[in-house]
Each structure stands twice: as structure tokens, then as C-alpha cells.
Amino acid sequence: MMFQEIMVASQSGPYGIRIASGIYRCVPEFLREIAGESFRVGLISNPTVRALHGEVLLTLLKEQGFTVVNFDFQDGEKFKNMTSIQECLDVFLREKWERKDPFLLLGGGVVGDMGAFAASILLRGVPVFHLPTTVVAQTDSSVGGKTGVDHAEGKNLIGSFYPPKGVWVDPGFLETLSIRERRSGLGEIIKYALIGDLELLELLDRELNRLGSELFDRDLWETAIRLSVRDKARIVSEDEHESGLRMNLNLGHTFGHALEAAMGYSGILHGEAVGLGMLCAARVGERLGITEKGTEKTIAGMLRRAGLPVEWPRQISYARIAPFLRNDKKSRSGKVTLILPVAPGHVVRVRDYDETNLTVAVPV
Ligand code: NAD
Ligand code: GLY
């Protein structure tokens, strides 16, 4: 089948992201090609995604002679924790898993982050392949090797850098995704445009309403996903371990992650929190004189067109998010590195600022 492949450079070796509708049918062939002699695969998912897409994949794998060991995480961010990782490790250790036996991760960012984290510590590392099924996972979480789980102290605070051996992106999976989840993914796509992808910015200028609508236009989504993956691949290839450039991908995430944590990882989707977080960053940036006046309004306009929320939850004061801001992984000596928009298409990383200005981030 015809597919596009975007390559990612990694210290553990390069890997490709193959994108095409219907590509999931080629998974057994790809696995053989890349994983070599292993005929055992761990198919890791959750009950929701398995019910929708797991059976057909299982059949394809078995038809091609693979022995499949299944494991499902419980569905939801609130299960993204060490207990779930332990359950996963228990299953594969009981199966006498070997280092050559790969994990195939079928699901959104939660399955991908947890499955890859488990893979990174099982036997000190078994190969990982992603078959992402949400917009967030197809455009962001499956690329770049960040794995992990949440902790009461903050989001994604436990984890590893563990790049996959391959990523297979099938936009067809998005047809079963709820409109709210698809829109949540637009939060990450808008982020790529705002941090510097002018081609994507133009596409969104023309097509955001259509992307945010009930109608699923597969070709349009494939284009938006391809541009986003291209951005992510370029950035993580240059800065795999987030010592500089990769931090830009965290536009909106510092405040967004703090919001998710303050809400107990429920009631808000990741991309929704990132959208609100980008508004926080713009407000702080405008206060610091770094962000062009009117940028917050422009971003709010994009979020509205995408069908994403623009109202900060009234019950979450600045005091509620402040402890989580301090725990951000980009903090140094207790002070968080801010990613601030200068104007749409341009961001800066800021360390030297007066922290009292952060309170304007939260408008309640
Ligand atoms: P998710 O994994 O919780 O998936 C959202 C919901 O959609 C779930 O209920 C899931 O079961 C369901 N679902 C998945 N695919 C479906 C499909 N095709 N049809 C119907 N339902 C489907 O959420 P997400 O938004 O995919 O990912 C968010 C997570 O990703 C967060 O934990 C975030 O921290 C993480 N993340 C990680 C990175 C990274 O670089 N590692 C980047 C961005 C986000
Ligand atoms: N999602 C942010 C990163 O991968 O760095």
C-alpha cells in the first residue's frame, strides 16, 4: 500500500512514522519487517478501543502466525498511574516475556504513554510500536518517546524517554472517535501552528471550522495530522531529551497540566486543558510585554472555531494550580520555564521574569 513516511532521528536509532488510511491492515507485515524473528506480540489497548478496533487487528495478526498476548489498561486518565503499570508488568512477566517480543500499543495517549513506559522497564526494555487511535496520539504522543504516568504531585511526573521502533498512523481510526475527543486533538494541532508552522496556520485559517465540525473529512484530517507529525518529528529529532527546542512543544502545557492535576485528572480533556493553557500563556506574555497585544484574543478565536472551550473553570483559582506549576518538569530551582507566544507562529522560552505576574494567567 502507498504511505508517507516521516523519519525521526533518535539516540536509540531512527524510526519512521507511516501515515495512511487503512494502514492498520499492514501491521503484521510491518512487524515482521522491523521486529525480525519475534512471533509473539503484546497487544496493549483498553476495553473501549479493543471493542472497536481490536478484534480485526487480532485476526490479522493471528492469520500471519503471530501469537498474541492481550492486555487492557482501564480507560481514562485517572488510571494513568503506577498501579496500572504494575498490572501490565505482572501479566507479561507471568507470560515469560522475552526482550525480543514487541508491544503493539493500540489506543490514545493514555494507552501509548503507559504501554511504552511499561515496555521501557520490562526486562530493561522491549520493542514498542504505536498504532495511535486519537488525534492527540496521532499528532503528538506516539512520536518522540516520552512515556509515563501521573502522580498526585503532578502530571506525567514518572516516566522515561523510550522511543518506539515504528509508528503507524491510520486516520481512519478517528471515524469512531467522539467529536469532543477530535476537537481536543485540535488543541495540539493549534499548538503546532502557533509555535511556528505557518503552513499549518494557513490551513487552520481556512479549515478550522470544518475540522471542528461533526462531519469527519478524512482527507482534511490526514493533511492536518501529516503537518503536525512533520513538526513534531523535526523538533524531537533535533532535541530528543528536551534540553531546549523541544520545550516549545509545551506551549499551553505548563498551565494545562496544572489545570488537569488541580481537577483530579477528570472533567477536562488533555487538548481542552492545553487550549486553556495557551490562553494563560498569552495573558502572562501580554502582561510581561513579550506577547503582542491581541494574541490572547486571536488564540481564543481559533479555539472557538475548533469548538474548544475558552472559559477557565470557575472553581479553579490561581492558588489551586500554583503548587502544580512549581512541580512542572521544566522547573529549575523551583522556577518554571515559561513558553510564551510572541505572536501566532512564534514563541519564546522565558526563565527570567517576576513570578507575581503569573497570577494573571487565571482569570477568576
Ligand atoms: P485517551 O488516551 O484517554 O483517549 C481518549 C478517549 O478516547 C478514551 O476514552 C479512549 O478510550 C477513546 N478512544 C481512543 N481511540 C478511540 C477511537 N478511535 N474511537 C473511539 N474512542 C477512542 O486521551 P488522548 O487525548 O488520546 O491522550 C491524552 C494523554 O496523552 C494524556 O495522558 C497526555 O498526558 C498524553 N500525551 C502524551 C504526550 C507525549 O509526548 N508522550 C503528548 C501529548 C499527550
Ligand atoms: N508533548 C510534548 C513533547 O512531546 O515534548
Side-chain angles (χ1 to χ4, degrees):
M1 99 172 282
M2 299 280 289
F3 55 80
Q4 296 190 318
E5 184 159 46
I6 297 172
M7 294 306 295
V8 180
S10 160
Q11 281 176 14
S12 327
Y15 58 95
I17 299 144
R18 298 177 177 179
I19 307 172
S21 286
I23 204 165
Y24 77 92
R25 297 205 146 268
C26 303
V27 161
E29 185 192 319
F30 292 161
L31 270 177
R32 258 181 218 291
E33 184 189 300
I34 305 174
E37 93 271 37
S38 175
F39 290 95
R40 262 203 316 184
V41 181
L43 179 58
I44 299 188
S45 191
N46 73 25
T48 313
V49 180
R50 190 176 291 277
L52 290 164
H53 304 291
E55 264 324 301
V56 56
L57 194 62
L58 191 61
T59 307
L60 288 169
L61 287 164
K62 284 183 172 165
E63 274 172 10
Q64 294 299 317
F66 286 96
T67 301
V68 181
V69 174
N70 294 299
F71 177 80
D72 284 342
F73 290 112
Q74 293 185 75
D75 188 359
E77 183 77 31
K78 61 177 183 297
F79 299 106
K80 194 178 169 189
N81 55 38
M82 289 303 287
T83 308
S84 302
I85 296 296
Q86 185 66 56
E87 286 167 7
C88 176
L89 296 175
D90 289 347
V91 166
F92 288 95
L93 287 172
R94 276 197 300 266
E95 288 288 338
K96 311 283 178 236
W97 213 242
E98 294 182 10
R99 267 195 185 153
K100 65 177 180 10
D101 300 332
F103 278 7
L104 177 60
L105 309 179
L106 173 74
V110 171
V111 165
D113 279 13
M114 284 206 288
F117 181 46
S120 75
I121 54 176
L122 178 63
L123 308 172
R124 298 211 174 88
V126 301
V128 162
F129 297 89
H130 285 280
L131 195 48
T133 60
T134 64
V135 180
V136 168
Q138 296 193 348
T139 55
D140 194 351
S141 61
S142 63
V143 182
K146 277 190 184 174
T147 83
V149 294
D150 303 330
H151 187 277
E153 289 291 315
K155 197 167 152 59
N156 294 336
L157 290 185
I158 301 169
S160 57
F161 283 101
Y162 192 67
K165 298 287 178 212
V167 182
W168 304 314
V169 174
D170 191 332
F173 282 137
L174 305 181
E175 290 197 32
T176 57
L177 197 61
S178 71
I179 176 79
R180 186 175 171 200
E181 291 288 353
R182 277 212 306 268
R183 287 172 171 164
S184 167
L186 282 173
E188 297 283 10
I189 294 178
I190 291 171
K191 172 197 78 178
Y192 287 118
L194 292 175
I195 66 178
D197 186 334
L198 299 183
E199 190 181 347
L200 188 55
L201 207 51
E202 268 176 37
L203 179 83
L204 296 184
D205 200 34
R206 287 195 312 274
E207 303 287 10
L208 246 182
N209 293 61
R210 208 138 65 92
L211 287 163
S213 75
E214 295 278 350
L215 194 85
F216 178 69
D217 179 332
R218 195 189 284 204
D219 290 342
L220 178 58
W221 273 98
E222 191 164 329
T223 305
I225 288 165
R226 184 174 41 76
L227 292 176
S228 303
V229 167
R230 183 188 66 179
D231 291 333
K232 177 112 194 215
R234 179 181 56 78
I235 291 170
V236 302
S237 292
E238 199 169 310
D239 177 23
E240 185 171 26
H241 293 138
E242 201 171 56
S243 46
L245 181 67
R246 185 167 181 170
M247 288 188 196
N248 292 358
L249 291 172
N250 278 287
L251 174 65
H253 283 60
T254 307
F255 296 103
H257 281 171
L259 175 58
E260 285 181 83
M263 291 183 66
Y265 306 111
S266 72
I268 189 156
L269 302 182
H270 179 68
E272 294 172 344
V274 168
L276 293 173
M278 291 192 287
L279 293 177
C280 294
R283 276 190 288 272
V284 171
E286 290 190 29
R287 162 65 72 97
L288 292 172
I290 288 171
T291 303
E292 263 177 27
K293 294 275 176 229
T295 304
E296 180 196 346
K297 247 189 176 162
T298 305
I299 298 174
M302 293 176 82
L303 298 177
R304 276 199 197 91
R305 288 181 63 208
L308 282 162
V310 292
E311 301 295 335
W312 184 267
R314 296 205 64 76
Q315 72 278 21
I316 307 292
S317 61
Y318 179 76
R320 298 264 308 267
I321 66 163
F324 298 110
L325 289 178
R326 277 190 289 277
N327 285 347
D328 187 273
K329 291 186 294 309
K330 297 181 300 304
S331 294
R332 297 290 174 273
S333 314
K335 195 169 180 185
V336 68
T337 306
L338 297 176
I339 315 301
L340 300 178
V342 175
H346 185 194
V347 290
V348 285
R349 300 188 286 281
V350 183
R351 289 288 312 284
D352 187 19
Y353 57 90
D354 173 357
E355 282 178 273
T356 56
N357 290 303
L358 290 187
T359 54
V360 302
V362 174
V364 291

